[in-house]
Amino acid sequence: MADEDTTPGGGESGERKGRSPRRRGGLYAAVWATVGALVLAGAGLGLVYSRIDGNIAGVDIDSVLGPDRPADVPDGTLDILVIGSDSRSGDNSRYGRDDGTARSDTAMIVHIGKKHERVSVVSVPRDTLVERPECERTGGGTAPAARRVMFNQAYAVGGPACTVKTVESMTGIRMDHYVELDFNGFEKVIDELGGVEITVTEPIEDEDSRLDLEPGRRTLDGEEALALVRTRKGVGNGSDLSRIKLQHAFVEALADRVGEIGMFSDLRRTYDLLHAVTSHLTTDAALASVSDLAGLARIVKDIGSEDIQTVTLPVRYSSADPNRVVPIVVQTERIWDALKADRPIPDSATKGSAAREAEEAEDAVEAGEAGE
């Protein structure tokens, strides 16, 4: 249908009109700041670093994709694809049956400005229908290009390399790095932080994720936090768009938690968190060491939460399948153009999106400081 023949991309408006993006993107900033803190503070811990380096799984994405990619623009900007994987293998088996496949459960394109003074974070809904390019399959062979397939199918078909290739095809922007954290890693990070406090403003109940939260203030442990950010039935209209709004709200609470516990002055606590992160971390080969991660941390260390803009690309529900969304071409292109030009994403880029209908999901949870 005409309304579905769109440029691949995906998402909803990630910001309520008139609302400041304060603290959004805090999860990203917290992880890299943690890495940098350990490396800067831990003189003489070379053996420990070697052990942590061995935790990180590196993928040589450059060699898989070859030269047929967007140009690498050496202007000081960095574009990083951050993925939350729903793999059920190994320690992740308790989150569901391992059928030998995995998908990108959460996807964010992180753009760091050339002066390293601000960050734009763009969420891509996994239910977005996109054009997936031809990819090398994870198990060998080649998967032909496909139209109108869910965004997260790229990971199931060809893992990190196919996901990067799909994003680059969508955006026309070369991804400088790739970072992936699985379910178990997310849960362990929250537990190492001692939990995250939130304020629930309306009941959230989801039998599938065993989540049952009554209104009020509470501290979520890792298992509860994972259930919260993964729930779809428990908030809003049950769509992936509502879930992304909920994830953004949780990120605010997580950023507050990292700031309040003063963990960067506690070397042991910082090490425990870093060990938890790296044990479940996959990156591109150029980022697969503590020193490389620390270099990235130093780049963003002076970026305040008020300098982080988080949106989700504008989409509308598919007329062929209301459980899927399709990009709104004009607004989507405005976002890609802004990133290419290293400009903030304009408000006009998120207007007319189905995300506006999902905004009540963000109101279901507030940062732990709410009400004080």
Side-chain angles (χ1 to χ4, degrees):
M1 294 185 181
D3 72 329
E4 317 252 309
D5 187 12
T6 58
T7 302
E12 58 176 301
S13 168
E15 292 178 350
R16 179 176 305 169
K17 185 176 181 180
R19 179 183 173 117
S20 167
R22 184 178 64 90
R23 291 196 307 270
R24 294 188 175 182
L27 172 60
Y28 170 79
V31 170
W32 300 132
T34 301
V35 175
L38 175 61
V39 175
L40 293 172
L45 295 182
L47 182 60
V48 173
Y49 293 160
S50 297
R51 184 183 306 167
I52 294 176
D53 274 346
N55 290 343
I56 304 171
V59 179
D60 191 356
I61 292 174
D62 288 343
S63 66
V64 175
L65 297 187
D68 187 19
R69 303 176 65 185
D72 187 5
V73 182
D75 61 355
T77 62
L78 283 175
D79 293 283
I80 304 169
L81 179 59
V82 179
I83 293 292
S85 165
D86 73 351
S87 169
R88 265 72 172 184
S89 64
D91 291 341
N92 294 291
S93 60
R94 62 194 180 92
Y95 302 113
R97 182 175 60 87
D98 180 15
D99 60 5
T101 63
R103 293 161 294 276
S104 54
D105 197 61
T106 301
M108 296 183 291
I109 298 166
V110 178
H111 174 84
I112 303 173
K114 63 176 129 184
K115 294 183 179 180
H116 305 159
E117 295 176 344
R118 59 181 175 80
V119 172
S120 297
V121 181
V122 183
S123 294
V124 181
R126 67 179 187 177
D127 294 343
T128 305
L129 297 177
V130 303
E131 293 183 14
R132 177 183 53 74
E134 179 181 284
C135 288
E136 291 187 19
R137 293 186 182 276
T138 303
T142 301
R147 291 190 71 241
R148 296 180 50 77
V149 296
M150 284 175 58
F151 171 78
N152 68 350
Q153 190 212 56
Y155 189 99
V157 168
C162 187
T163 307
V164 169
K165 188 173 184 178
T166 300
V167 168
E168 292 183 343
S169 176
M170 288 163 49
T171 65
I173 301 171
R174 186 186 182 102
M175 295 295 106
D176 297 293
H177 293 297
Y178 173 88
V179 177
E180 175 188 329
L181 187 68
D182 65 26
F183 286 167
N184 200 260
F186 176 86
E187 183 175 324
K188 287 182 179 297
V189 166
I190 301 303
D191 284 337
E192 289 293 343
L193 289 171
V196 171
E197 186 178 67
I198 63 169
T199 297
V200 179
T201 58
E202 59 187 62
I204 302 177
E205 184 175 357
D206 186 344
E207 292 182 2
D208 290 346
S209 61
R210 303 187 192 92
L211 185 66
D212 187 2
L213 299 177
E214 294 296 326
R217 297 183 65 179
R218 65 194 68 247
T219 298
L220 303 185
D221 62 18
E223 184 175 2
E224 293 168 327
L226 181 62
L228 179 71
V229 299
R230 294 188 63 227
T231 185
R232 297 180 64 160
K233 297 178 181 178
V235 294
N237 60 9
S239 70
D240 195 39
L241 305 183
S242 292
R243 185 177 66 145
I244 288 175
K245 299 294 290 184
L246 185 64
Q247 290 171 349
H248 287 171
F250 181 80
V251 160
E252 295 186 8
L254 177 58
D256 287 342
R257 177 59 178 162
V258 171
E260 73 187 18
I261 65 177
M263 63 173 298
F264 302 130
S265 62
D266 185 337
L267 181 60
R268 179 65 197 183
R269 191 168 196 176
T270 303
Y271 169 77
D272 288 343
L273 177 59
L274 184 57
H275 190 276
V277 171
T278 57
S279 296
H280 300 273
L281 192 69
T282 299
T283 72
D284 62 285
L287 207 56
S289 73
V290 171
S291 60
D292 292 326
L293 288 170
L296 181 57
R298 293 185 185 101
I299 287 175
V300 301
K301 69 181 177 66
D302 293 326
I303 296 176
S305 56
E306 68 278 4
D307 302 315
I308 302 173
Q309 179 186 23
T310 301
V311 302
T312 310
L313 287 181
V315 295
R316 55 177 168 245
Y317 290 103
S318 167
S319 59
D321 184 350
N323 294 315
R324 303 289 179 262
V325 293
V326 292
I328 301 175
V329 180
V330 175
Q331 284 93 323
T332 297
E333 290 303 319
R334 286 176 188 164
I335 291 178
W336 302 145
D337 288 345
L339 297 189
K340 291 174 185 176
D342 194 28
R343 298 193 308 263
I345 297 168
D347 290 340
S348 61
T350 59
K351 291 182 178 179
S353 170
R356 302 294 184 184
E357 302 172 6
E359 284 188 347
E360 66 271 16
E362 186 175 6
D363 295 331
V365 172
E366 298 176 356
E369 67 182 17
E372 294 183 342

